[in-house]
Amino acid sequence: MRSVEEKKPSRSLRPAQSKLSVLLLLVSTNLLSVYLFSGGMCPIIGGTDVLLRELKSTKSELAQLQRFMETLLRGRGDKAASDDVDGWPDEFPGEMKLVVGPHKLPLGYNHNLGTDKLFQPLGSACRRFREELAGYMTYEVGGACPSDEVFAQRLMLKGCEPLPRRRCHPKSPRGYVEPAPLPESLWATPPDTSVVWDAYTCKNYSCLVKRGRSDKSYDCNDCFDLKGREKSRWLVDGSGGVLDFSIDSVLATRPAGTVRIGLDIGGGSGTFAARMRERDVTVVSSTMNFDGPFNSFIASRGLVPLHISVAHRLPFFDNTLDVVHSMHVLSNWMPEATLELALFDIYRVLRPGGLFWLDHFFCAGEQLNTTYVPMLARVGFHKLRWATGRKRDRGIGKNEWYLSALLEKPIT
């Protein structure tokens, strides 16, 4: 197969130079316009000599402006010239070279890729945090990775997602033992030796269970207590009021056996996926490790964790999932644009006739009908079930509301 080199774009005019050239043209045009339309034509009454003198003066001022802009361009020249790789500087420290720069394909141009280079996936916001990214990519090649889980997750939450791959070995738990077999593992607290605890305040699961029973507020307070409230979630329709739908009642809206695969966004410790697994439905749980080993806990239960933020594009192809569930995570704490993008992404990955279970969405009372009901209508779901109720945990004076809805992607 003949190798075809990808044509490199011309570098005769860099982005910074182009912008300044446009600025020069704009300023010049505006100056002439101001002159002509703010009394500059008046000297015609007195004769053309006056007009010519005024035009020569204006020409001189424009020439001075041009020299100033050219000087500014030259001053930025070195900086602009260093922006070589898609807005990144030419020189990178250590491992950064591997993750930023494109890599030539050994066999040349690839028709599937449409290029002769391979670019590493890297979140666009990583450019805003170059120093942090360089720190993340500082390690001994082939050695142990730094114990930097909290630092790495914060980079992800800033939009530097996906993080680049690294050539180092993450720390393994000491004294690791084999997990319990299915289905026992679904409701068994994993051994403490299944987790590297460096990043967390608690250093064992007993601490996490006790913490969930305290008065203090933590993310997913009692998620690790499998003998507590987790055990009864989603079992009985209306168990806590009209907002509580049961898994069986939701599955009953589809022909038997047609809900097979799905996603739980912000799946906590994986209990929704565990209940679905008992009904032969495979559900992936996306979750973050907010001062707790949520991903490790889900995996120990024999379920599939997905460590991505709520802002991340869902890593599934269009029209593939039977059900998407989200409880508490998609709510009014998110910027409206981010939330709407997430809802359209859910619509994208659901198959026609697929179910979106929006579980205990919360917002201020005045927002429900003015902002979020119209937003859901724009996305295009059909309503199968819809229930609203007051959110009272912070006091009735807050005028906060819950919405639980079972929505369907239309079949066209």
Side-chain angles (χ1 to χ4, degrees):
M1 181 177 67
R2 187 175 63 178
S3 173
V4 181
E5 287 290 323
E6 182 185 39
K7 186 178 179 181
K8 292 185 178 180
S10 172
R11 298 182 54 158
S12 59
L13 190 62
R14 301 188 183 280
Q17 293 171 314
S18 177
K19 291 177 183 177
L20 287 173
S21 298
V22 171
L23 179 60
L24 174 61
L25 178 61
L26 180 62
V27 172
S28 302
T29 305
N30 285 344
L31 278 175
L32 186 57
S33 299
V34 169
Y35 169 74
L36 291 174
F37 292 103
S38 63
M41 294 299 293
C42 293
I44 294 178
I45 300 173
T48 57
D49 290 342
V50 177
L51 175 60
L52 289 173
R53 284 197 301 271
E54 292 291 342
L55 285 175
K56 288 179 180 179
S57 175
T58 302
K59 182 179 178 181
S60 175
E61 292 173 0
L62 288 174
Q64 290 179 7
L65 176 63
Q66 182 176 358
R67 287 193 294 272
F68 169 76
M69 297 297 285
E70 288 174 349
T71 301
L72 185 59
L73 277 170
R74 286 194 297 271
R76 289 180 56 94
D78 293 341
K79 183 176 180 180
S82 69
D83 290 339
D84 184 59
V85 184
D86 196 24
W88 294 86
D90 281 337
E91 297 299 326
F92 306 100
E95 293 287 277
M96 284 281 286
K97 295 179 182 179
L98 295 180
V99 301
V100 174
H103 300 277
K104 280 280 191 179
L105 294 173
L107 302 181
Y109 183 88
N110 183 287
H111 288 280
N112 290 327
L113 300 179
T115 180
D116 63 345
K117 302 181 184 69
L118 188 63
F119 290 82
Q120 302 293 339
L122 189 64
S124 62
C126 294
R127 292 182 183 84
R128 297 178 179 269
F129 308 103
R130 295 182 187 181
E131 290 185 8
E132 291 95 327
L133 186 64
Y136 175 75
M137 294 303 298
T138 300
Y139 52 85
E140 180 185 350
V141 175
C145 293
S147 184
D148 58 359
E149 179 184 321
V150 174
F151 176 76
Q153 184 167 270
R154 283 177 181 165
L155 259 181
M156 292 171 60
L157 293 170
K158 289 177 179 179
C160 187
E161 185 181 23
L163 286 171
R165 291 170 170 168
R166 299 197 290 191
R167 297 191 297 169
C168 58
H169 303 127
K171 186 177 180 179
S172 296
R174 290 176 178 263
Y176 183 83
V177 296
E178 292 292 320
L182 283 166
E184 176 189 339
S185 63
L186 292 177
W187 299 102
T189 299
D192 295 334
T193 53
S194 64
V195 175
V196 176
W197 295 92
D198 296 358
Y200 315 120
T201 304
C202 281
K203 304 303 178 184
N204 53 60
Y205 280 118
S206 296
C207 172
L208 288 172
V209 171
K210 290 177 182 176
R211 188 174 76 177
R213 295 171 182 169
S214 71
D215 295 331
K216 294 182 179 180
S217 178
Y218 298 94
D219 191 74
C220 204
N221 244 20
D222 51 0
C223 283
F224 296 102
D225 187 1
L226 297 184
K227 296 180 181 178
R229 189 171 59 159
E230 288 293 291
K231 194 73 174 179
S232 61
R233 286 186 187 275
W234 301 292
L235 289 182
V236 180
D237 208 62
S239 59
V242 295
L243 295 164
D244 293 334
F245 303 167
S246 70
I247 285 177
D248 291 331
S249 69
V250 169
L251 294 179
T253 64
R254 304 290 86 184
T258 60
V259 178
R260 306 148 301 160
I261 56 174
L263 169 69
D264 188 18
I265 298 175
S269 59
T271 294
F272 180 83
R275 286 300 182 198
M276 288 296 233
R277 175 70 172 76
E278 293 172 334
R279 291 154 177 78
D280 296 323
V281 181
T282 300
V283 169
V284 174
S285 302
S286 73
T287 190
M288 302 297 287
N289 292 331
F290 291 121
D291 200 22
F294 290 93
N295 281 271
S296 299
F297 191 81
I298 292 171
S300 293
R301 297 179 77 176
L303 305 166
V304 182
L306 186 63
H307 189 219
I308 61 172
S309 74
V310 71
H312 195 287
R313 185 179 190 268
L314 297 177
F316 303 99
F317 192 66
D318 303 355
N319 303 304
T320 53
L321 301 184
D322 299 314
V323 62
V324 174
H325 171 264
S326 182
M327 184 174 186
H328 295 314
V329 174
L330 300 178
S331 287
N332 73 339
W333 70 270
M334 298 175 64
E336 290 178 19
T338 305
L339 177 60
E340 187 163 348
L341 284 168
L343 293 173
F344 270 98
D345 205 25
I346 291 168
Y347 187 97
R348 176 185 65 81
V349 300
L350 281 171
R351 64 167 174 82
L355 299 174
F356 174 37
W357 182 354
L358 185 59
D359 197 351
H360 285 74
F361 175 95
F362 60 85
C363 64
E366 63 273 10
Q367 294 177 309
L368 185 57
N369 290 322
T370 59
T371 301
Y372 298 114
V373 171
M375 184 184 294
L376 288 166
R378 285 195 298 273
V379 177
F381 290 111
H382 289 167
K383 294 180 185 178
L384 299 181
R385 292 183 67 175
W386 187 276
T388 59
R390 296 296 295 269
K391 183 176 183 289
R392 303 177 183 274
D393 58 318
R394 297 204 307 158
I396 194 169
K398 291 290 184 180
N399 188 28
E400 294 177 326
W401 286 74
Y402 278 127
L403 164 66
S404 286
L406 183 62
L407 308 171
E408 177 190 50
K409 180 174 178 175
I411 299 176
T412 56

